Amino acid sequence: MSLLDGSSDTSAPKSRSPAPDDPEPPRKKRNNVSETLEEKQALLLTSEDPSPSAAADHAPTTEPAPSSFQPRCCPPAAGSTIVLCCHGGAKMAALAYNLGKREINQHFSVRNAKLLALGAALLISACHAVFWGYSSHGDDTCGYLISSGRFLGEKVWQPYSCMTHRYKAREATGCLRNQHVTFVGDSRIRQLFYAFIKILNPYVKEQGNKHENIPFEDSRENIRVDFLWYPEVNGSMKQCFLSLSESTSSKPQIVVAGAATWSIKMNNGSAESLAQYRINLTDIEPVLGKLADSSEVYWILQDPVHEPLLSESRRMITNERIDAYNEVAAGILNGTNRKSRSKIKIFSVSRLISEETIEQSLDGLHIPETSRDISAMILMNSYCNKIMKPIDGSCCQPAPPLTIIQKLGASFFALSIGAYVAISVIQRNKHRKNKMCTDIESGEEKKPATVSPAASALEVALFSFSKLGLLMAYFYFCDRANLYMKENKFYTHSSFFIPIIYILVLGVFYNENTKETKLLNRDQTDEWKGWMQLVILIYHISGASSFLPVYMHVRVLVAAYLFQTGYGHFSYFWIKGDFGLYRISQVLFRLNFLVVVLCVVMDRSYQFYYFVPLVSFWFMVIYGSLALWPQITQKKANGKNDLMNELVLMTHNLLAQVMSRSLMQDSFQKIFSLWPISKLFELNGEVYEWWFRWSLDRYAVFHGMLFAFIYLALQKHQVLFEGKGEPLFSTKVSSVLLFFSVVSFLTYSIWASSCKNKTECNGMHPSISVVQILAFVLIRNIPGYARSVYSSFFAWFGRISLELFICQYHIWLAADTKGILVLIPGNPMLNIIISTFIFVCVAHEISHITNDLAQILVPKDMPALTKRLLCITLFFFILLFLSAVQH
């Protein structure tokens, strides 16, 4: 079946096997109390399955069938009204299990969950707005970048409230082109200077006299970075800052300064030294302030020392004295107070970093390489993020301005909300006039002359667009405004595998009987899509792409989605032969509606949501290969060998085209670079990403189509046994196939786990991913008992898997999937729970909105459908025109 396109079931036709006609057992007289007890137990045991078949199979009867009769373990005493005094541990456990599920489902409905999610989102939004309003840094994340944070792991620093980008040499030189940077201070500032220029040129070596000025220059990019040796805060340092501020030709754009340890050492840590430091820094502050008017000035607070490693000549440099000097510097420069007029930025985050790493210092004074590299990268983010605007560097980035298309989209949603409110008010007034009124004389109620009509298509559409507009506002505030915080991902094995175990337990807990037992029935494919989507979500939020074995297995899951696309759409077209315009319009609308809306609201290209273009493209390939002449279907192919030969020839040509295009990257890119196709498949001005995604799973859809054809052929010739509890083949064949399937599944996992190079493994993936997919299908379907049950938990998520995949980009993850959305700062576990809850509720509501609008905007009436399609085409051309204008 198709990947949750919301269309009708595209799997093979499903017919329920009739239950065996058992003869009606003879009726016996039974005690009324006993009968009531058994009826209640039967009702509880089947209450979770509302399907008609379940109701028919498990409806309470006055007498159990003979085959299910069990002798009582303790006969009742004479005259006793209690017939069943014991039930057995298994029966009681099943009763408690189903009772628990019934209680959960009764008190926690989807509607209640959505109301709770709405309340949580509003409350959290209000709290964040108040926080930013009263924060000492205002809504500027730069203040938090240079003053707070924590270690996520070794060498991984996470600032409070925002994300940092790891700059490479090319990016850093692009940011600092034609710039002048000056470091002023002691040996610790010199360490920071070297760490900074190594971002620009990793091959720079630390050499030369340490107590001298050190220049660095990149003549090609016209970048100049200087270190000026001024180890004490005194008149010489003041004169240095004066000359920098008065310079007209080489005034620096960035000034990084700091000093204190030399003053402590030279004066043996005396109180007079601290007083003189205060006087000198007070004298320097106006000069630094003047320099900060035209340059970014950072004052580096002193890092702690590791006192046990200090030499005798440095024993007086204690952490207590360093804290006293830092307190003086922060008090005078006052850069952390947003109400201060001073523009000098206090760089205090290095202290927090060094507190965790100073024990790695070689001499107890100079900071280890880890600390200075992190501090240099924070400096680079503080200055360059607003220039380079990296996606994963939200610190110091202002919210992007609204584009023309975004403004028009916001206006449309605002008008929809206004129109719906107006219509609702009018309808309510009409309802009040028609309301039942009381006859004053007789005291009797009179019925209204007319009954209020059901909601019109216009009302449903306006209501749907109103809800969608509010949801899109949440999307925008999550990932485009600076209302919510964001954090970088950090992978650990526990962050990926522990949630996998959790969802596996939940999936096993919520298991039910399938409505039918055919291979890849609807319940099973929904379950398959559901657990795959949950694994992919955990993979994304945990950053598991950095772990190659997990990456390769997740690539198989994506291929399995495309396999289902080929299987489902081929089965539908082959069996039903429905190639009408309504069918193709419904599928494409349900697949693409949310993505098109997000392209407008979030200012992202269509290819950015790569999976939807991929599935839409392959749907059109399947449709074109079957709908065009000779339009081969099951009905036409019955008894006609020539049509079967044509089908084989068609699939052979399709496979040949796929293989040839995958080998000719240049020709592929030329085709998809033509206007207006390029507007759909370009990402950052190139179609390489589209070619990469297409080629990575280029055979998966073909494998799904071939599997569907083979399955339908075997089904037609009655080779398969698809009854309840029956193995799919004969016992011997089933055992052999099951054994080889398990071996194949494990063999692929072993190979994927031994991958050493992502490029090489990606090259082999398109051809061999089908091995694990087919192995899973056979393992899941050969045993009759496995084919007869499914996880309703996974199936529920499977029905909204497309919405989950798309919505995660902006309201669960952050910065276009590069980071994590933080709704509850300071508590990662609680944050994941609440953000996940809101995210799932939003995805479920969007799925309902899409289904409602699909019925209205894609009608079955052909003239009306043609008009709607013309309007949609005009809409897309307007989007293309506005996109060209704003860019």
Side-chain angles (χ1 to χ4, degrees):
M1 70 188 349
S2 62
L3 177 66
L4 258 180
D5 53 25
S7 58
S8 59
D9 188 1
T10 56
S11 58
K14 300 167 183 170
S15 57
R16 191 179 308 284
S17 301
D21 297 325
D22 296 329
E24 183 178 358
R27 297 183 178 272
K28 296 180 182 180
K29 292 184 179 180
R30 300 184 59 191
N31 185 286
N32 291 335
V33 177
S34 169
E35 183 177 335
T36 304
L37 286 173
E38 289 195 357
E39 287 180 0
K40 289 183 177 180
Q41 291 164 1
L43 179 62
L44 287 174
L45 288 171
T46 61
S47 60
E48 74 276 11
D49 191 348
S51 64
S53 60
D57 293 339
H58 300 290
T61 59
T62 57
E63 182 68 20
S67 60
S68 62
F69 175 77
Q70 294 181 357
R72 297 186 181 93
C73 56
C74 45
S80 172
T81 59
I82 304 300
V83 177
L84 299 178
C85 62
C86 57
H87 306 278
K91 191 170 183 179
M92 291 301 294
L95 185 64
Y97 163 79
N98 289 284
L99 181 61
K101 287 203 297 184
R102 184 188 183 194
E103 290 295 322
I104 293 173
N105 294 333
Q106 180 179 357
H107 297 289
F108 196 73
S109 64
V110 173
R111 182 177 181 275
N112 292 338
K114 290 178 181 178
L115 291 175
L116 184 60
L118 175 62
L122 293 175
L123 179 61
I124 291 170
S125 299
C127 291
H128 277 268
V130 171
F131 169 79
W132 290 117
Y134 287 92
S135 170
S136 60
H137 302 291
D139 60 354
D140 182 15
T141 53
C142 269
Y144 291 106
L145 171 65
I146 63 176
S147 65
S148 59
R150 71 185 192 279
F151 271 103
L152 296 178
E154 187 178 1
K155 299 182 181 180
V156 181
W157 181 257
Q158 174 58 59
Y160 183 77
S161 81
C162 61
M163 299 165 55
T164 55
H165 175 68
R166 188 163 188 83
Y167 279 90
K168 298 179 180 179
R170 183 179 179 182
E171 296 172 307
T173 53
C175 168
L176 297 177
R177 186 178 291 115
N178 302 319
Q179 304 286 307
H180 179 200
V181 184
T182 301
F183 288 78
V184 181
D186 55 14
S187 56
R188 286 176 157 187
I189 299 298
R190 184 184 64 240
Q191 286 186 295
L192 186 58
F193 159 78
Y194 274 117
F196 188 85
I197 62 175
K198 283 182 179 179
I199 300 176
L200 301 170
N201 184 356
Y203 304 104
V204 170
K205 295 182 179 179
E206 301 184 22
Q207 56 188 4
N209 194 330
K210 295 182 178 180
H211 295 172
E212 289 182 349
N213 298 341
I214 304 174
F216 169 83
E217 189 171 358
D218 185 339
S219 57
R220 186 178 61 179
E221 301 292 344
N222 193 25
I223 300 173
R224 178 182 165 192
V225 185
D226 294 323
F227 168 70
L228 306 180
W229 172 254
Y230 289 94
E232 291 190 80
V233 177
N234 52 24
S236 299
M237 181 178 280
K238 177 182 178 182
Q239 189 61 41
C240 171
F241 290 138
L242 279 172
S243 62
L244 290 176
S245 63
E246 294 172 357
S247 175
T248 56
S249 59
S250 59
K251 181 178 291 187
Q253 281 71 40
I254 306 174
V255 176
V256 182
T261 55
W262 269 67
S263 298
I264 299 173
K265 177 182 176 182
M266 299 302 292
N267 297 281
N268 202 27
S270 64
E272 293 79 7
S273 173
L274 179 60
Q276 188 61 46
Y277 182 85
R278 184 191 304 272
I279 294 170
N280 292 343
L281 195 57
T282 303
D283 193 31
I284 288 176
E285 192 274 336
V287 181
L288 279 177
K290 181 181 178 181
L291 186 59
D293 290 336
S294 57
S295 306
E296 290 204 13
V297 178
Y298 298 88
W299 184 268
I300 310 295
L301 294 185
Q302 294 299 299
D303 298 331
V305 296
H306 189 48
E307 296 181 18
L309 291 180
L310 292 174
S311 62
E312 287 298 328
S313 62
R314 295 171 176 166
R315 287 291 182 182
M316 71 293 296
I317 307 176
T318 64
N319 287 322
E320 183 179 355
R321 289 178 176 136
I322 286 176
D323 291 340
Y325 276 73
N326 284 336
E327 186 177 350
V328 168
I332 294 172
L333 301 178
N334 206 18
T336 58
N337 187 348
R338 67 172 183 156
K339 296 181 180 180
S340 172
R341 295 181 180 179
S342 175
K343 296 181 181 179
I344 304 168
K345 300 179 180 180
I346 300 296
F347 194 89
S348 58
V349 69
S350 59
R351 279 184 51 77
L352 299 178
I353 298 170
S354 296
E355 284 174 358
E356 302 289 336
T357 61
I358 193 61
E359 293 182 1
Q360 303 171 16
S361 173
L362 298 177
D363 57 7
L365 174 67
H366 294 99
I367 58 178
E369 186 176 1
T370 301
S371 298
R372 63 192 188 190
D373 288 346
I374 294 174
S375 296
M377 194 60 69
I378 290 175
L379 270 176
M380 190 68 72
N381 275 263
S382 179
Y383 183 77
C384 289
N385 281 1
K386 55 183 171 290
I387 299 173
M388 304 301 293
K389 294 181 173 57
I391 294 176
D392 59 342
S394 64
C395 296
C396 304
Q397 273 202 61
L402 291 174
T403 64
I404 299 173
I405 295 177
Q406 286 177 309
K407 292 177 181 177
L408 290 175
S411 300
F412 171 78
F413 286 124
L415 289 174
S416 298
I417 295 173
Y420 176 73
V421 171
I423 291 177
S424 299
V425 171
I426 294 172
Q427 292 291 345
R428 181 173 296 182
N429 291 335
K430 288 184 179 179
H431 180 70
R432 285 178 179 176
K433 291 179 180 179
N434 295 329
K435 192 175 181 182
M436 296 178 67
C437 56
T438 303
D439 190 308
I440 298 176
E441 295 181 358
S442 63
E444 296 179 355
E445 292 184 341
K446 295 182 178 180
K447 295 183 179 179
T450 58
V451 179
S452 57
S456 64
L458 177 61
E459 290 179 78
V460 174
L462 288 175
F463 183 55
S464 297
F465 280 121
S466 299
K467 291 190 294 182
L468 186 62
L470 296 176
L471 293 176
M472 288 301 106
Y474 180 68
F475 275 74
Y476 182 85
F477 283 121
C478 283
D479 207 21
R480 286 297 173 269
N482 288 330
L483 178 62
Y484 301 113
M485 302 177 184
K486 303 173 179 66
E487 287 190 355
N488 294 90
K489 298 178 184 179
F490 178 68
Y491 175 75
T492 61
H493 292 320
S494 60
S495 66
F496 176 76
F497 289 105
I498 290 178
I500 293 292
I501 295 173
Y502 285 161
I503 66 167
L504 178 62
V505 171
L506 287 172
V508 172
F509 179 77
Y510 284 94
N511 67 85
E512 299 179 10
N513 293 326
T514 58
K515 296 181 180 65
E516 58 181 344
T517 57
K518 291 185 179 295
L519 183 142
L520 288 181
N521 57 72
R522 183 62 181 254
D523 291 331
Q524 188 184 131
T525 52
D526 283 343
E527 173 203 85
W528 190 7
K529 287 182 286 189
W531 70 256
M532 287 195 303
Q533 184 57 59
L534 292 176
V535 171
I536 290 173
L537 290 175
I538 296 171
Y539 164 83
H540 282 156
I541 202 167
S542 63
S545 59
S546 59
F547 185 49
L548 193 54
V550 172
Y551 168 83
M552 292 306 303
H553 281 87
V554 170
R555 288 255 51 89
V556 175
L557 301 187
V558 176
Y561 270 112
L562 295 173
F563 178 91
Q564 286 193 54
T565 298
Y567 171 84
H569 288 306
F570 179 89
S571 299
Y572 180 88
F573 290 131
W574 176 259
I575 295 168
K576 296 190 175 183
D578 179 11
F579 300 102
L581 186 60
Y582 173 74
R583 166 67 184 178
I584 186 175
S585 301
Q586 277 279 333
V587 172
L588 291 178
F589 180 88
R590 293 172 188 268
L591 281 175
N592 291 274
F593 173 72
L594 176 58
V595 166
V596 171
V597 173
L598 287 176
C599 289
V600 172
V601 174
M602 307 304 290
D603 189 31
R604 285 294 176 263
S605 64
Y606 179 66
Q607 180 57 34
F608 175 75
Y609 307 93
Y610 73 92
F611 189 74
V612 171
L614 198 60
V615 177
S616 301
F617 172 81
W618 281 115
F619 169 73
M620 294 304 297
V621 170
I622 298 169
Y623 177 84
S625 60
L626 294 176
L628 297 178
W629 186 86
Q631 203 175 90
I632 306 172
T633 62
Q634 186 182 55
K635 185 177 181 180
K636 293 182 179 180
N638 286 337
K640 297 182 179 180
N641 292 329
D642 54 338
L643 284 178
M644 296 301 295
N645 293 334
E646 290 175 357
L647 177 64
V648 173
L649 180 61
M650 178 198 68
T651 53
H652 177 270
N653 291 336
L654 177 61
L655 181 61
Q657 287 290 326
V658 170
M659 294 180 65
S660 64
R661 292 302 178 193
S662 65
L663 295 175
M664 296 185 294
Q665 179 181 350
D666 293 338
S667 61
F668 181 94
Q669 293 183 349
K670 287 179 181 178
I671 293 174
F672 287 96
S673 296
L674 299 174
W675 192 91
I677 300 176
S678 60
K679 293 299 180 181
L680 295 177
F681 298 104
E682 280 184 350
L683 187 63
N684 300 323
E686 298 179 353
V687 295
Y688 172 79
E689 179 71 13
W690 164 239
W691 177 83
F692 173 75
R693 296 292 182 182
W694 178 87
S695 62
L696 203 55
D697 297 301
R698 56 186 176 270
Y699 304 131
V701 171
F702 174 78
H703 291 148
M705 295 171 65
L706 184 61
F707 180 82
F709 177 75
I710 294 173
Y711 164 65
L712 293 172
L714 293 176
Q715 190 182 57
K716 177 183 176 182
H717 292 88
Q718 299 181 348
V719 177
L720 306 177
F721 306 99
E722 297 182 299
K724 188 173 184 179
E726 291 182 307
L728 196 61
F729 302 94
S730 63
T731 304
K732 185 175 181 180
V733 174
S734 295
S735 299
V736 172
L737 284 177
L738 194 60
F739 172 77
F740 279 106
S741 297
V742 172
V743 171
S744 300
F745 190 94
L746 295 177
T747 301
Y748 181 91
S749 292
I750 293 171
W751 171 81
S753 300
S754 62
C755 273
K756 302 300 181 183
N757 185 287
K758 183 179 288 189
T759 304
E760 293 179 2
C761 292
N762 279 341
M764 297 180 64
H765 166 78
S767 302
I768 64 175
S769 60
V770 68
V771 172
Q772 195 166 44
I773 295 172
L774 290 178
F776 169 79
V777 171
L778 294 177
I779 293 170
R780 183 68 179 83
N781 286 275
I782 287 178
Y785 63 86
R787 205 172 58 252
S788 302
V789 296
Y790 79 106
S791 170
S792 57
F793 175 79
F794 290 143
W796 189 89
F797 287 97
R799 296 182 192 105
I800 59 171
S801 64
L802 183 63
E803 288 76 14
L804 288 172
F805 187 87
I806 299 169
C807 291
Q808 68 166 327
Y809 278 70
H810 304 296
I811 62 170
W812 197 51
L813 303 174
D816 297 341
T817 74
K818 303 296 183 180
I820 300 172
L821 180 67
V822 178
L823 299 180
I824 309 296
N827 194 326
M829 182 60 68
L830 182 61
N831 175 68
I832 287 295
I833 293 172
I834 293 180
S835 64
T836 301
F837 175 66
I838 297 175
F839 155 62
V840 172
C841 290
V842 169
H844 190 272
E845 183 62 28
I846 289 178
S847 176
H848 277 272
I849 292 172
T850 304
N851 291 334
D852 291 341
L853 290 176
Q855 302 303 319
I856 298 172
L857 300 180
V858 187
K860 290 185 177 180
D861 181 61
M862 188 54 62
L865 177 59
T866 305
K867 293 178 181 178
R868 302 283 169 82
L869 291 179
L870 289 175
C871 292
I872 292 174
T873 304
L874 178 62
F875 168 76
F876 279 115
F877 274 105
I878 293 174
L879 276 185
L880 288 175
F881 173 75
L882 292 175
S883 177
V885 169
Q886 73 181 18
H887 286 96

